[in-house]
Amino acid sequence: MMLRTVFIACVVGCVLAKNVKQSTNPSLRNSTTGETDVLYRHEVLRADIYEVAWTVDFSKEEISFSVSAKTKGFVGFGISYTGSMQYSDIVIGGVFDNGTTYFADWHGDTSTANGFPIRDAHQDWFLDEAIENATHTNLVFHRLLNTCDNEDIAITNDTFKIIWSYGNTDQISYHGDNRGALAVNLLDPPSEAHDLSKYTLWRVAYPLDLPAEDTTYWCTYFKGPKLDKKHHYVGFNIFLNGSSSHQHTHHADLYKCTPPNGENIDEFFSKHVGYGYDCYFSKEYHPVEHCQLFESQWSIGGKVTMFPENTGVPIGEEETEYYMTEIHYDNPKKLAGVKVHSGMEMYYTDQLREQDAGFLQVGVMTAKSYSLTVPPNSQEFVVSSHCPSECTSNIPKEGVNAFVYLLHSHLSGRKERVRHFRGNEELPFLANDEHYDFNYQNNRHFRTELKLLPGDHLTL
Ligand SMILES: *[C@@H]1O[C@H](CO)[C@@H](O)[C@H](O)[C@H]1NC(C)=O
Ligand SMILES: *[C@@H]1O[C@H](CO)[C@@H](O)[C@H](O)[C@H]1NC(C)=O
Ligand SMILES: *[C@@H]1O[C@H](CO)[C@@H](O)[C@H](O)[C@H]1NC(C)=O
Ligand SMILES: *[C@@H]1O[C@H](CO)[C@@H](O)[C@H](O)[C@H]1NC(C)=O
Ligand SMILES: *[C@@H]1O[C@H](CO)[C@@H](O)[C@H](O)[C@H]1NC(C)=O
């Protein structure tokens, strides 16, 4: 059910599931109190210059930020849907030379893209601490997730951009190049730090002379790692070798291959191993339609994705396995002679975990069809697709727990929502992003695993 065309918008939600009792992401547990309603995150916004850490207290519906900037001047921080200051929610603060602190709640000028911000009539962000030393200014401040002030932005599960800036003096003025933006899901649990050295790394990557085309989908075939029995892979990451790979790789998928009925797997796939093809416009045949079993996806902005400690996806169950990577490269300037070397890294172990995980995809199938066609000049065109109760009927009786999801759509996608029905009842949205960003398609961990039962109906 994954997307198979580069031309039309496609919408796919993806969930990794397993069938154990629900558990809460351990990173949310306060090690002192055992409580699960506080989340802690940290991001470096510019190395050695500007960092932010934040905690979300879901019981108080409050978020607290701590920013550290290498300046003795003012420090700006904000949240925005687009990365621009227009329609953004901003705070500016600092410490004067005489030690007095200043801090206020501002918002972006809605009439121009990056005009001077405007002080909010109602102040809803509160300073807890402002400290300046010889080189840095640190500000700690908090606010409610939803301040109910229309000059602020309500913090939700949507995709936001953190915007940041600083000045060289305490005179609040144009920040010049001392600024930036980073896409984040503010309320999501962090990608946990893991000791990856205890797993075996299987890397599939292919060096490519990137075509001088705006967009290239490149499909490469690999033989699975040589394993004599079932193993589990427990996480995955992108592999990007060199700066041009970083610059041009938009997303990467790994699929498992299945030969057509009656064909010998080695005869069918081995001749393609080590070769890459333009996925959709290759003059030579390659077996893309037989490599459809989705295994993993990384997208720009994403980090390593690790599964819960008792969960793994089987690998090596068959004597020989073949896989295909599909990598989407961007080359908007149509540069010739760019060399890229990207792929996927899978972490596996022979220490089998308690639970097998798998994938569930919900969405509109666009493969080799025009089933999803958006008429020209459409406004707010809604695409919906269903995974009705028949589609979930072979989920085990006791249900499966979803622990991570990824929303996927192409350039026309603006919002995505996965609704969840059981019998005549609608349950909370499985996922909802009113500000979907094609350039930030993250594997998003649920705060608490979500139970799916046979007969549930999912609507994207
Ligand atoms: C954990 O709880 C303790 C006691 O309430 C509190 O002092 C501490 O700040 C909490 N830790 C986090 C990370 O919120
Ligand atoms: C500290 O300096 C600021 C900026 O010059 C000024 O507005 C403020 O009144 C001063 N505060 C004191 C206590 O001197
Ligand atoms: C000033 O604060 C920054 C950020 O907290 C810290 O890294 C740095 O070591 C501090 N410098 C001094 C001289 O204390
Ligand atoms: C990364 O690229 C360099 C230069 O082409 C190559 O020597 C190196 O082996 C590559 N690294 C990996 C891990 O493949
Ligand atoms: C955000 O997502 C979490 C699941 O990760 C869910 O529990 C929560 O209700 C969602 N919040 C909103 C406002 O939809």
Side-chain angles (χ1 to χ4, degrees):
M1 266 191 279
M2 275 305 271
L3 149 86
R4 285 275 155 242
T5 168
V6 294
F7 291 121
I8 29 185
C10 155
V11 215
V12 178
C14 167
V15 173
L16 262 170
K18 60 171 183 152
N19 58 355
V20 281
K21 66 178 194 307
Q22 273 158 288
S23 64
T24 298
N25 192 306
S27 59
L28 301 189
R29 226 166 273 145
N30 180 320
S31 52
T32 319
T33 63
E35 277 172 20
T36 56
D37 54 1
V38 178
L39 171 149
Y40 177 81
R41 293 274 304 267
H42 175 255
E43 293 286 348
V44 174
L45 298 170
R46 181 174 285 169
D48 302 323
I49 302 285
Y50 198 120
E51 294 187 21
V52 58
W54 69 96
T55 49
V56 182
D57 186 329
F58 291 101
S59 62
K60 289 193 197 151
E61 298 183 14
E62 204 175 86
I63 187 162
S64 169
F65 294 95
S66 170
V67 303
S68 166
K70 194 175 179 183
T71 183
K72 296 186 73 178
F74 73 83
V75 176
F77 179 85
I79 51 178
S80 156
Y81 292 124
T82 59
S84 155
M85 278 168 66
Q86 194 174 18
Y87 302 107
S88 68
D89 189 1
I90 299 171
V91 290
I92 303 172
V95 183
F96 289 122
D97 291 342
N98 61 16
T100 317
T101 65
Y102 58 97
F103 180 84
D105 181 359
W106 302 67
H107 62 277
D109 183 349
T110 54
S111 63
T112 78
N114 283 305
F116 200 81
I118 299 164
R119 229 179 144 99
D120 285 20
H122 195 269
Q123 296 286 305
D124 301 285
W125 296 67
F126 303 99
L127 182 67
D128 299 310
E129 189 176 83
I131 298 177
E132 186 175 279
N133 68 14
T135 50
H136 286 71
T137 301
N138 296 314
L139 302 179
V140 180
F141 46 90
H142 72 274
R143 53 163 274 186
L144 290 174
L145 293 176
N146 185 0
T147 62
C148 298
D149 177 2
N150 59 18
E151 291 179 341
D152 291 330
I153 290 179
I155 295 175
T156 62
N157 286 330
D158 293 352
T159 299
F160 289 97
K161 311 294 178 295
I162 286 177
I163 55 174
W164 59 272
S165 69
Y166 63 90
N168 298 322
T169 70
D170 290 310
Q171 180 76 41
I172 298 171
S173 57
Y174 182 57
H175 45 59
D177 290 335
N178 300 334
R179 63 168 190 105
L182 179 78
V184 286
N185 298 112
L186 285 166
L187 304 184
D188 281 7
S191 296
E192 285 172 70
H194 277 259
D195 177 12
L196 296 174
S197 64
K198 57 186 178 190
Y199 308 117
T200 309
L201 170 64
W202 180 48
R203 180 184 289 141
V204 285
Y206 185 80
L208 172 69
D209 290 316
L210 189 61
E213 303 279 346
D214 181 53
T215 301
T216 298
Y217 278 76
W218 199 256
C219 285
T220 315
Y221 296 83
F222 300 92
K223 200 169 180 174
K226 201 169 164 36
L227 303 172
D228 50 359
K229 59 175 197 286
K230 173 178 166 178
H231 286 55
H232 269 148
Y233 74 84
V234 299
F236 56 85
N237 204 0
I238 188 72
F239 169 71
L240 301 169
N241 192 4
S243 61
S244 58
S245 305
H246 278 269
Q247 213 176 320
H248 295 280
T249 308
H250 189 276
H251 66 257
D253 292 320
L254 182 74
Y255 294 93
K256 194 173 173 192
C257 303
T258 315
N261 267 342
E263 294 279 348
N264 175 286
I265 186 166
D266 288 313
E267 276 171 32
F268 195 75
F269 291 114
S270 63
K271 53 182 170 285
H272 300 285
V273 166
Y275 293 95
Y277 307 81
D278 189 303
C279 292
Y280 307 107
F281 302 107
S282 170
K283 290 194 193 79
E284 277 170 89
Y285 171 80
H286 65 107
V288 57
E289 70 272 28
H290 299 290
C291 300
Q292 297 281 315
L293 199 62
F294 180 78
E295 296 286 339
S296 65
Q297 175 172 27
W298 172 91
S299 289
I300 193 164
K303 294 185 177 165
V304 63
T305 297
M306 299 304 296
F307 307 154
E309 273 169 11
N310 59 353
T311 306
V313 178
I315 183 170
E317 280 183 305
E318 290 126 67
E319 205 181 323
T320 28
E321 294 179 336
Y322 289 88
Y323 292 85
M324 180 193 82
T325 56
E326 181 194 277
I327 303 189
H328 171 170
Y329 293 102
D330 281 333
N331 187 2
K333 293 193 183 135
K334 303 189 178 167
L335 302 172
V338 174
K339 291 191 185 307
V340 287
H341 184 195
S342 306
M344 296 294 288
E345 296 187 335
M346 313 301 287
Y347 294 96
Y348 67 86
T349 172
D350 60 359
Q351 312 278 303
L352 285 185
R353 293 176 164 195
E354 193 186 332
Q355 292 296 326
D356 281 352
F359 299 86
L360 172 69
Q361 294 179 42
V362 183
V364 177
M365 169 86 163
T366 59
K368 294 184 175 169
S369 82
Y370 295 94
S371 57
L372 173 51
T373 306
V374 180
N377 302 316
S378 307
Q379 295 275 322
E380 302 192 12
F381 187 78
V382 177
V383 176
S384 43
S385 60
H386 296 269
C387 169
S389 33
E390 294 80 0
C391 140
T392 59
S393 61
N394 53 16
I395 285 180
K397 198 162 81 271
E398 63 281 12
V400 293
N401 289 339
F403 57 88
V404 70
Y405 68 100
L406 177 116
L407 296 171
H408 180 64
S409 150
H410 278 219
L411 285 166
S412 306
R414 292 292 177 275
K415 303 178 180 201
E416 282 185 64
R417 171 178 293 172
V418 183
R419 297 174 67 179
H420 185 191
F421 301 89
R422 184 169 295 156
N424 290 329
E425 212 189 319
E426 176 161 15
L427 304 174
F429 298 146
L430 187 148
N432 188 34
D433 193 343
E434 302 278 328
H435 294 90
Y436 171 76
D437 181 354
F438 177 68
N439 291 316
Y440 188 64
Q441 304 176 37
N442 213 350
N443 285 294
R444 299 184 59 178
H445 287 268
F446 289 106
R447 282 212 290 284
T448 302
E449 291 174 0
L450 190 121
K451 181 73 90 186
L452 295 175
L453 292 177
D456 283 1
H457 179 143
L458 299 174
T459 298
L460 180 105

